[in-house]
Amino acid sequence: MKFGTKAIHAGVSPDPSTGAIMTPIFQTSTYVQKSPGDHLGYEYSRTHNPTRTALQNSLAALENGKHGLCFSSGLGAIDAVVKLFNPGDEIISTSDLYGGTYRLFTKVFERYGIKFHFVSMADPESLTAYVNEKTKMVWVETPTNPMMNIIDLKAMAAFSKKHGLLLAVDNTFASPYLQNPLDLGADIVMHSVTKYLGGHSDVVMGALVVKDDELASKLAFLQNACGATPGPQDCFLVLRGIKTLHLRMERHCQNGKTIAAYLKNHPKVDKVYWPGFEDHPNHDVARAQMRDFGGMISFTLVGNQLEDAKKVMESFHLFSLAESLGGVESLCGHPASMTHASIPREEREKVGLVDSLIRLSVGVEDAEDLKNDLAKALAKI
Ligand SMILES: *Cc1c(COP(=O)(O)O)cnc(C)c1O
């Protein structure tokens, strides 16, 4: 089955008791048993819920995996992955990392004796220096936030295999429409479902997809034992969102391309970070591992003044200033003061995260209107 057909049909089937074409919201905590242990496969909704099962199967299909597991947030999903390991174990992670993941790793799991190495992944071979007998996993995010760097997943998979490490990929920015890390050799794919998969800015949820049965059962154990599971109403909303994932992503990509090109030619814009540009440093890798280039764009202003960036963001009508991304509506954010405020200025400036950097999550509105919104806001400086 091709992607669009899977988005609509995979994992779901009409409800056998009524014929309802849409998976019902099974708003129940428990399930009646005929006799102790004699049940229909469902005992308690933390462990299993039919609405969640449908969503988990849909996500597994979209990522070309075998097992999907949903969590109450993206961070809940990452939490379960790290709980596979023991005190003393070591994890190598991308340095260019979602702030919440960095906080979970350093402020929570380091207290439990897990050691993290945050490194640039531009050259996989340079990671060898961080491998020892305690190393267990490599954690990758690509494209990265907000600098839109691309990490070569095939190369990272080869490196991980060679050293007997698990490779986990946070695929939130790409969504399963643009990139399928399991096909490139990853062991675990993670999503903040909150973003493109949900797609309508109305749900917070996370997910993991794996191929391996044993790894899946370890993660399912943690999902149930630690209990960060989503409710059926949220699962329903994401099932609904997924039905248009391919259509939304096509438009996000189209609009992304239009807006990136517009910004690149604007006299008040300095740098534009978007992997679809041929002069993007990792363009060839992006072209090889992604289906298209997405709607996430970062840009800086000529003169690099914080006041100018603020004025532009305050002047937008269509790009709402808000955390998050991947919804149908366009958003803008200011990494230096919002998502990456806790990183010291010197550190963030080294990677290009300067005061005037603005991040856009380009939505699925009409591109002409989005361009006009940008034109008017940039005219204010
Ligand atoms: C939002 C996000 C997360 C965290 O997901 P939540 O659903 O907010 O817990 C993790 N990784 C990336 C790349 C994100 O954008």
Side-chain angles (χ1 to χ4, degrees), residues 72-76 78 98 100-101 141 143 145 170-173 190-195 204-206 324-325 359:
S72 50
S73 70
L75 286 175
I78 302 171
Y98 173 71
T101 308
E141 208 180 294
N145 176 27
D170 180 339
N171 203 28
T172 301
F173 262 45
M190 175 263 154
H191 280 284
S192 169
V193 173
T194 315
K195 315 295 167 52
V204 172
M205 195 191 290
S324 202
L325 60 112
R359 188 191 79 178

Side-chain angles (χ1 to χ4, degrees), residues 100-166:
T101 308
Y102 181 77
R103 183 177 57 200
L104 177 64
F105 287 174
T106 56
K107 296 271 178 358
V108 180
F109 283 109
E110 279 187 353
R111 289 199 290 115
Y112 290 83
I114 293 177
K115 190 169 174 185
F116 296 87
H117 300 276
F118 297 97
V119 301
S120 154
M121 292 190 173
D123 169 23
E125 278 317 304
S126 70
L127 270 61
T128 312
Y130 300 93
V131 180
N132 61 49
E133 72 285 354
K134 291 177 178 160
T135 315
K136 294 288 153 65
M137 181 174 77
V138 177
W139 183 271
V140 176
E141 208 180 294
T142 179
T144 65
N145 176 27
M147 300 315 300
M148 306 305 294
N149 289 316
I150 303 291
I151 293 165
D152 185 338
L153 290 178
K154 258 193 187 158
M156 290 312 307
F159 171 85
S160 303
K161 289 248 147 49
K162 184 168 145 196
H163 296 282
L165 313 174
L166 284 178

Side-chain angles (χ1 to χ4, degrees), residues 292-307:
D292 206 335
F293 304 107
M296 295 302 300
I297 301 168
S298 295
F299 68 99
T300 62
L301 300 172
V302 170
N304 190 32
Q305 291 303 306
L306 176 62
E307 284 313 307

Side-chain angles (χ1 to χ4, degrees), residues 2-150:
K2 291 245 200 290
F3 193 89
T5 314
K6 279 200 279 193
I8 290 163
H9 294 286
V12 297
S13 46
D15 174 49
S17 64
T18 60
I21 192 161
M22 288 301 144
T23 307
I25 303 166
F26 284 91
Q27 195 76 48
T28 186
S29 60
T30 192
Y31 308 83
V32 175
Q33 310 196 3
K34 253 200 196 137
S35 157
D38 180 4
H39 53 74
L40 300 168
Y42 292 92
E43 296 161 90
Y44 187 63
S45 277
R46 173 167 24 77
T47 323
H48 295 294
N49 174 283
T51 318
R52 196 174 96 209
T53 303
L55 174 58
Q56 293 184 154
N57 292 340
S58 165
L59 290 168
L62 293 178
E63 280 292 8
N64 299 329
K66 195 166 163 197
H67 307 279
L69 298 125
C70 289
F71 294 83
S72 50
S73 70
L75 286 175
I78 302 171
D79 177 77
V81 174
V82 183
K83 283 176 179 158
L84 290 167
F85 307 108
N86 296 311
D89 287 346
E90 299 189 8
I91 292 170
I92 302 172
S93 164
T94 324
S95 48
D96 207 356
L97 194 65
Y98 173 71
T101 308
Y102 181 77
R103 183 177 57 200
L104 177 64
F105 287 174
T106 56
K107 296 271 178 358
V108 180
F109 283 109
E110 279 187 353
R111 289 199 290 115
Y112 290 83
I114 293 177
K115 190 169 174 185
F116 296 87
H117 300 276
F118 297 97
V119 301
S120 154
M121 292 190 173
D123 169 23
E125 278 317 304
S126 70
L127 270 61
T128 312
Y130 300 93
V131 180
N132 61 49
E133 72 285 354
K134 291 177 178 160
T135 315
K136 294 288 153 65
M137 181 174 77
V138 177
W139 183 271
V140 176
E141 208 180 294
T142 179
T144 65
N145 176 27
M147 300 315 300
M148 306 305 294
N149 289 316
I150 303 291

